[in-house]
């Protein structure tokens, strides 16, 4: 294939970055509001920037050590590819975070004019994150593919770098945001009986910072890693089965998805502008569906031209449909009738609410698993292992707009916090709450989407590992393989335990600090004195940085130890166990947490006694339990199972050559 054809993904990524610059100027040209609103936004910006710089400082030390290790045992090209994947992932998170923290007060000011202005600003702010992720993903992985002539090892190094940075960002950002959130809720809302985002609450700025480092930078890095992993696994399997055409087809699918996501973002903005009575959920759904429709047409054309068959297109469309269906199921369990039933258990106290929330999360695993299973069987029948990889890629091919919608949520949430802290007219908070309610739904759908894509991508990566080490059968009758299967199933639980303990320890310190300030700062509870916001930001930062390293290293240590003790076939067993168990646990955590969150919001809307009632206090306890499940441990498991697969693909063949 010609050089221009092979560089098409890099060119598409460049177009995406140019459009991203346009979005940045579109957001920044809007008014950031009055002096008070700007002051609050600046405090959030400073807190988010200081955390991410501190996080990246530790990350880069670990990356440098791992790069030296790869240089010594493999090659300088592998080390460079690994660093490129890591740095591009970190850059995507930083750029998205920078704009999100500037879009918040602009959204608040837009809400003073009306819902349309606020929706447009928050959506375009989220679109910066979405477009940055897919543009840098295509430029980076496409560049490695071009520079190293499609070398599998080099692409796997890039994918491993992206995954490692994603796990750091997800775990670190998740610990930060939930420590701050728990401290703000338990002391402020339950003990002091003050509203959410009240400026008297010392943890309120840390809470708003956490929304950005967890749900913008963390989610962005998570889906960057999924996106790169899906393209990489499909390209590897396609190259093995269908030569260069099979290897480049995934890049063309991703490129068309990027270009059509640009079209989708433009159409959403036109929809908002032309609507007289805009409804945020309908507008965002329109963006998702119209982009998916055009992408389906593009994939049909690409499939016929490149591979001479419509089968890959059918598989990619199947992947997109499964992604949408998982989103619908997630939305049902986190915003429909199950939420009303869950909220109705709150008057009986926190215990029934938590029991019912756990049951809801467990039940919610049924349909997503069936959908994923059907897609795997059909994809394999149509196109073998390559088909499974294409299904995963199809699900992620419109990530540009999907992530835009997901990242819009934290901006809307921040906007509401600024409206409350700046003591604006209640009508402004009503508008931002409308946006935030939709944002909670889109965030829950985004988590379901991430889990579904993780399951398919992990299976494709599993197949890539089997190819890399020449395994044709994983025999469960072999004792080593079965033991490794059990170990793999245990790892998501161990990982989740470490992450949840980290949140608990940091949250304890946060609760103590908020209590101390309410007790020692005279006049604080009466609104006559200023809290020390910076101290709470430091506590959340310190807790996150202290506890994020060891959970992140599990993904590298586990495959190596399994190989050294039990062998390469056992590594396959470990990956299978971790994938199956991890997907179940991630769905359960995400949906239980989302359900508790929305049950609380249902009660806060005035039902079952409303704010301040016993039902409300019970729902706050449920939401507090669910927060680290849905925003820290659950999403991080997605990355854990994929990173272990990629580490196995990269390192086990090297260890095989070394020991043999």
């Amino acid at each position: 294939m010609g050089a221009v054809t092979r560089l098409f993904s890099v060119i598409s990524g460049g177009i995406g970055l140019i459009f991203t610059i346009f979005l940045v100027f579109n957001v920044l040209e809007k008014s950031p509001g009055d002096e008070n609103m700007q002051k609050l936004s600046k405090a959030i910006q400073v807190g988010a920037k200081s955390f991410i710089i501190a996080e990246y400082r530790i990350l880069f030390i670990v990356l440098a050590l791992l790069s030296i290790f790869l240089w010594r045992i493999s090659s300088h090209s592998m080390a460079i590819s690994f660093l490129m994947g890591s740095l591009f992932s970190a850059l995507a998170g930083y750029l998205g975070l920078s704009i999100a923290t500037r879009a918040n007060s602009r959204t608040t000011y837009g809400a003073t004019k009306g819902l349309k202005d606020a929706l447009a600003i928050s959506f375009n702010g989220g679109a910066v994150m979405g477009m940055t992720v897919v543009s840098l993903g295509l430029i980076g992985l496409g560049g490695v593919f071009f520079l190293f002539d499609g070398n599998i090892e080099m692409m796997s190094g890039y994918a491993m770098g992206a995954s490692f940075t994603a796990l750091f960002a997800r775990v670190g950002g998740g610990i930060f945001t939930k420590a701050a959130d728990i401290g703000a809720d338990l002391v402020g809302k339950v003990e002091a009986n003050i509203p959410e985002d009240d400026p008297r609450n010392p943890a309120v700025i840390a809470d708003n910072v956490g929304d950005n480092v967890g749900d913008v930078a963390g989610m962005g890095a998570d889906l960057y890693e999924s996106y790169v992993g899906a393209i990489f696994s499909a390209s590897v399997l396609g190259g093995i089965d269908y030569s260069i055409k099979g290897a480049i087809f995934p890049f063309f699918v991703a490129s068309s998805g990027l270009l059509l996501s640009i079209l989708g973002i433009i159409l959403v903005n036109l929809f908002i502008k032309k609507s007289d009575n805009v409804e945020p959920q309908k507008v965002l759904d329109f963006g998702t569906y119209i982009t998916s429709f055009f992408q389906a047409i593009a994939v049909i054309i690409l499939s016929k031209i490149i591979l001479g068959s419509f089968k890959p297109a059918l598989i990619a469309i199947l992947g997109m449909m499964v992604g949408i269906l998982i989103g619908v199921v997630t939305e049902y369990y986190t915003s429909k009738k199950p939420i009303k039933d869950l909220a109705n258990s709150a008057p009986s106290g926190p215990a029934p609410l938590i029991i019912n929330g756990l049951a809801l999360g467990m039940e919610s695993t049924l349909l997503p698993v069936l959908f994923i299973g059907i897609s795997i069987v059909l994809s394999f029948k149509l196109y073998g292992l390559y088909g499974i990889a294409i299904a995963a890629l199809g699900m992620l091919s419109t990530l540009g707009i999907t992530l835009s919608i997901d990242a819009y949520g934290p901006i809307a949430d921040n906007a509401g916090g600024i409206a409350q802290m700046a003591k604006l007219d209640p009508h402004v908070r009503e508008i931002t709450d409308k946006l935030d309610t939709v944002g909670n739904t889109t965030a829950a759908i985004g988590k379901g989407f991430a889990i579904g894509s993780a399951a398919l991508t992990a299976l494709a990566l599993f197949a890539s590992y089997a190819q890399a080490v020449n395994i044709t059968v994983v025999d469960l009758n072999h004792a080593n393989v079965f033991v490794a299967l059990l170990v793999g199933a245990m790892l998501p639980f161990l990982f989740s335990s470490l992450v949840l303990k980290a949140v608990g320890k940091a949250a304890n310190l946060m609760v103590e600090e908020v209590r101390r300030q309410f007790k020692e700062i005279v006049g604080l509870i009466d609104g006559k004195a200023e809290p020390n916001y910076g101290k709470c930001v430091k506590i959340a930062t310190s807790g996150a940085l202290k506890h994020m390293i060891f959970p992140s290293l599990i993904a590298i240590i586990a495959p190596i130890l399994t190989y050294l003790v039990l062998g390469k076939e056992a590594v396959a067993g470990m990956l299978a166990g971790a994938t199956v168990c991890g997907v179940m646990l991630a769905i359960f955590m995400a949906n239980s947490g989302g359900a508790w969150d929305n049950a609380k919001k249902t009660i806060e809307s005035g039902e079952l006694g409303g704010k301040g009632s016993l039902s409300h206090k019970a729902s706050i306890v449920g939401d507090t339990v669910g927060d680290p499940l849905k925003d820290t441990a659950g999403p991080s498991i997605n990355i854990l199972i994929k990173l272990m697969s990629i580490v196995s693909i990269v390192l086990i063949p090297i260890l095989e050559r070394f020991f043999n």
Side-chain angles (χ1 to χ4, degrees):
M1 307 293 281
V4 174
T5 303
R6 297 182 66 181
L7 269 176
F8 183 70
S9 60
V10 179
I11 295 167
S12 301
I15 293 170
L17 282 184
I18 292 169
F19 181 70
T20 305
I21 293 169
F22 167 78
L23 289 171
V24 168
F25 282 113
N26 180 274
V27 171
L28 296 182
E29 72 179 8
K30 303 295 190 293
S31 171
D34 60 29
E35 186 178 341
N36 193 22
M37 291 158 62
Q38 291 183 51
K39 178 183 175 184
L40 292 166
S41 179
K42 187 68 176 176
I44 295 169
Q45 290 171 39
V46 170
K49 189 175 180 180
S50 64
F51 169 76
I52 206 144
I53 288 173
E55 181 183 54
Y56 285 175
R57 191 179 295 125
I58 294 173
L59 171 64
F60 290 157
I61 293 171
V62 177
L63 291 177
L65 294 174
L66 287 173
S67 298
I68 293 169
F69 173 69
L70 288 172
W71 191 308
R72 298 287 295 176
I73 68 167
S74 181
S75 66
H76 70 279
S77 297
M78 171 66 79
I80 291 170
S81 297
F82 172 77
L83 275 178
M84 279 181 64
S86 303
L87 296 176
F88 271 49
S89 178
L91 180 61
Y94 183 81
L95 292 175
L97 181 81
S98 297
I99 299 305
T101 53
R102 286 166 173 79
N104 50 21
S105 66
R106 289 169 167 83
T107 300
T108 309
Y109 183 75
T112 64
K113 296 182 176 183
L115 182 60
K116 286 173 65 171
D117 285 18
L119 176 59
I121 296 167
S122 54
F123 173 73
N124 287 331
V128 171
M129 180 80 256
M131 291 308 302
T132 301
V133 162
V134 294
S135 299
L136 289 179
L138 271 175
I139 289 172
L141 190 61
V144 169
F145 181 86
F146 178 77
L147 291 173
F148 296 107
D149 199 29
N151 184 285
I152 292 174
E153 283 193 350
M154 298 308 105
M155 287 199 294
S156 63
Y158 185 94
M160 186 169 80
S163 296
F164 192 75
T165 296
L167 194 57
F168 252 77
R170 245 318 180 188
V171 172
I175 294 170
F176 182 106
T177 185
K178 293 305 109 182
D181 199 5
I182 291 170
D185 281 357
L186 287 184
V187 184
K189 293 166 74 173
V190 177
E191 296 180 10
N193 203 28
I194 60 177
E196 189 169 3
D197 295 318
D198 193 293
R200 292 171 290 176
N201 193 326
V204 71
I205 293 294
D207 189 10
N208 280 276
V209 168
D211 290 336
N212 290 285
V213 299
D215 293 336
V216 177
M219 175 61 88
D222 180 352
L223 288 170
Y224 181 93
E225 177 263 352
S226 293
Y227 189 64
V228 167
I231 299 171
F232 158 70
S233 58
S235 182
V236 169
L237 293 172
I240 291 170
D241 293 338
Y242 301 97
S243 189
I244 187 65
K245 289 184 177 181
I248 67 167
F249 177 68
F251 287 96
F252 276 89
V253 171
S255 298
S256 67
L258 183 152
L259 297 174
L260 290 168
S261 290
I262 293 174
L263 175 63
I265 291 167
I266 292 170
L267 290 175
V268 166
N269 277 279
L270 289 174
F271 195 139
I272 295 170
K273 190 175 181 180
K274 298 292 183 182
S275 299
D276 294 325
N277 187 23
V278 66
E279 293 184 40
Q281 188 69 62
K282 286 186 177 179
V283 171
L284 299 178
D285 286 345
F286 165 77
T288 300
Y289 296 140
I290 196 69
T291 305
S292 297
F293 173 74
F294 284 128
Q295 174 66 352
I297 295 172
V299 170
I300 289 171
I301 296 169
L302 289 170
S303 177
K304 185 62 176 175
I305 291 173
I306 298 174
L307 294 174
S309 170
F310 290 121
K311 286 183 181 179
L314 294 175
I315 294 167
I317 292 168
L318 175 65
M320 287 191 283
M321 289 174 60
V322 168
I324 291 170
L325 286 172
I326 291 174
V328 170
V329 172
T330 305
E331 182 182 3
Y332 172 75
Y333 278 104
T334 57
S335 67
K336 304 292 182 181
K337 184 179 179 295
I339 298 306
K340 290 190 176 181
D341 294 340
L342 182 61
N344 286 333
S345 65
S348 300
L353 183 79
I354 290 172
I355 292 168
N356 288 325
L358 292 173
L360 180 151
M362 292 175 184
E363 179 188 319
S364 72
T365 62
L366 172 62
L367 288 176
V369 168
L370 290 179
F371 292 145
I372 292 168
I374 291 168
S375 69
I376 289 170
V377 171
L378 291 177
S379 300
F380 186 80
K381 281 184 177 294
L382 287 171
Y383 236 63
L385 293 171
Y386 186 39
I388 295 170
I390 290 297
L393 179 60
M395 193 180 289
L396 287 163
S397 63
T398 56
L399 182 62
I401 192 161
T402 307
L403 183 52
S404 300
I405 292 169
D406 199 17
Y408 131 92
I411 296 172
D413 193 359
N414 264 206
I418 290 171
Q420 183 76 31
M421 289 185 281
K423 300 178 181 178
L424 300 181
D425 188 283
H427 176 65
V428 177
R429 182 64 195 246
E430 287 174 13
I431 288 175
T432 59
D433 280 349
K434 283 182 183 177
L435 297 177
D436 188 26
T437 300
V438 175
N440 284 329
T441 302
T442 61
I445 292 171
K447 290 182 178 72
F449 183 81
I451 293 164
S453 66
L456 290 173
T457 304
L459 183 55
L461 290 170
F462 177 86
S464 300
Y465 169 72
Q467 296 272 10
V469 295
N470 298 314
I471 294 175
T472 54
V473 176
V474 180
D475 185 2
L476 293 181
N477 287 320
H478 196 292
N480 285 9
V481 174
F482 192 79
V483 169
L485 187 76
L486 293 175
V487 171
M490 170 274 298
L491 285 174
F493 285 93
L494 174 63
F495 175 83
S496 299
S497 170
L498 293 170
V499 172
L500 292 174
K501 279 182 180 179
V503 172
K505 289 174 183 177
N508 283 340
L509 295 174
M510 186 68 72
V511 166
E512 290 172 6
E513 174 59 21
V514 175
R515 284 175 178 164
R516 183 194 69 77
Q517 290 198 34
F518 276 130
K519 182 179 179 180
E520 296 180 8
I521 299 178
V522 179
L524 176 57
I525 197 66
D526 299 318
K528 296 177 181 177
E530 287 278 324
N532 185 348
Y533 298 125
K535 186 66 182 293
C536 290
V537 172
K538 286 181 180 178
I539 288 172
T541 300
S542 174
L545 298 180
K546 182 179 179 182
H547 297 291
M548 72 181 182
I549 298 174
F550 182 58
S552 300
L553 291 176
I554 285 177
I556 293 177
I557 296 169
I560 295 174
L561 282 180
T562 302
Y563 170 76
L564 293 176
V565 176
L566 299 173
K568 67 180 182 181
E569 290 84 359
V571 173
M574 182 209 69
L575 295 178
T579 300
V580 171
C581 181
V583 169
M584 299 305 106
L585 198 56
I587 295 172
F588 156 67
M589 287 181 171
N591 290 340
S592 285
W596 282 317
D597 188 358
N598 282 333
K600 179 194 73 172
K601 285 182 167 54
T602 298
I603 294 170
E604 287 177 342
S605 69
E607 295 186 28
L608 300 169
K611 292 182 179 180
S613 65
L614 290 175
S615 297
H616 185 222
K617 290 185 178 181
S619 72
I620 292 171
V621 174
D623 180 41
T624 304
V625 172
D627 269 346
L629 297 183
K630 71 180 174 68
D631 291 330
T632 309
S636 299
I637 290 174
N638 300 331
I639 310 170
L640 174 76
I641 60 178
K642 287 175 289 183
L643 180 54
M644 285 198 296
S645 296
I646 294 173
V647 166
S648 300
I649 292 169
V650 174
L651 296 184
I652 303 306
I654 296 172
L655 293 174
E656 276 278 283
R657 291 195 295 269
F658 179 78
F659 286 110
N660 293 328

